[in-house]
């Protein structure tokens, strides 16, 4: 039986050969974040299957290919401030933290309080407590921060692009968000770029995410 570390290395090779992982930053993050630390104990042996896995409360940790497709679309760089809606397990936030290391920061939000705790515990155990903050709140409304985030990542499907998130984005910033129906398989992954007041939206591909809740979600 290969070790989890060997399985992780194989998955990274596969994601590279598929063209999902393209940058050195993404490769380093995929190799260093231990996905097994972000899932329920009894599912650990499935940590490196490229599928979503249940994390309780009807929610899932995204498949690794989706995590890295979104991270590469965001073109993450050293020192960036990144805002996430949907902490879930905290895994995605940890990969982003690696990609903006050493000076970058991630602020992630989670509307289900026990999951915010789960994410925080996982991030702490995996050693990301100094670079990632978890806030238990409705992230669809955005959050007042001292600085505007240069990147925004939404990991639940929204009925439409939440205006407060676009308004929060730094000039020249980018956001990725699944938009569409709350029924699975009816959503598009959208990349949004803001230049001054000019907002450009590009549809990337079809995706299947759990629904966004809260003010700008499916209530
Ligand atoms: N990024 C996660 C995947 C999470 S699934 C990971 O790496 O594991 C989407 C998450 O979004 C769920 O945990 C859900 O509870 C959360 N969510 C849904 N609506 C939200 C909202 N309005 N604000 C914050 N979190 C929300």
């Amino acid at each position: 039986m290969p070790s989890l570390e060997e399985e992780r290395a194989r998955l990274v090779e596969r994601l590279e050969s598929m063209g999902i992982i393209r940058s050195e930053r993404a490769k380093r993050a995929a190799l260093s974040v231990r996905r097994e630390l972000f899932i329920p104990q009894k599912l650990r042996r499935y940590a490196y299957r490229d599928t979503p896995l249940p994390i309780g409360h009807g929610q899932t940790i995204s498949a690794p290919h989706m995590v890295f497709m979104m991270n590469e679309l965001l073109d993450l760089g050293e020192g960036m401030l990144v805002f996430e809606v949907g902490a879930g397990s905290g895994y995605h936030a940890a990969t982003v933290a690696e990609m903006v290391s050493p000076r970058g920061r991630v602020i992630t939000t989670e509307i289900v309080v026990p999951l915010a705790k789960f994410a925080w515990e996982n991030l702490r155990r995996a050693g990301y407590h100094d670079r990632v903050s978890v806030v238990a709140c409705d992230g669809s409304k955005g959050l007042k921060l001292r600085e505007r985030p240069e990147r925004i990542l939404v990991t639940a499907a929204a009925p439409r692009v939440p205006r407060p998130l676009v308004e929060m984005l730094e000039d020249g910033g980018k956001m990725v968000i699944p938009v569409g129906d709350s029924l699975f398989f009816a959503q598009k992954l959208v990349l949004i770029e803001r230049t001054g007041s000019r907002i450009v939206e590009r549809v990337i591909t079809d995706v299947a995410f759990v629904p966004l809740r809260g003010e700008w979600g499916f209530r």
Side-chain angles (χ1 to χ4, degrees), residues 55 59-62 84-93 109-112 115 137-140 155-156 210-214:
I55 55 171
Q59 306 303 322
T60 55
I61 175 173
S62 308
E84 181 186 36
V85 180
S89 66
Y91 174 75
H92 204 151
T109 56
E110 175 54 58
I111 202 164
V112 177
L115 282 178
C137 69
D138 173 8
S140 77
T155 65
V210 295
L212 183 75
R213 301 284 172 209

Side-chain angles (χ1 to χ4, degrees), residues 1 8-9 12 18 20 27 39 45 69-70 82-84 102 104 133 136 141 147 157 161 176 179 189 195 208 216 218:
M1 275 271 285
R8 187 184 323 126
V12 174
M18 287 162 68
I20 300 276
K27 183 174 179 179
I39 56 180
R45 64 179 178 283
M69 181 193 287
M70 291 169 94
V82 184
F83 181 71
E84 181 186 36
S133 318
K141 296 191 287 189
E147 293 161 59
V161 177
V176 275
V179 181
L189 188 65
T195 317
W216 287 80
F218 301 90

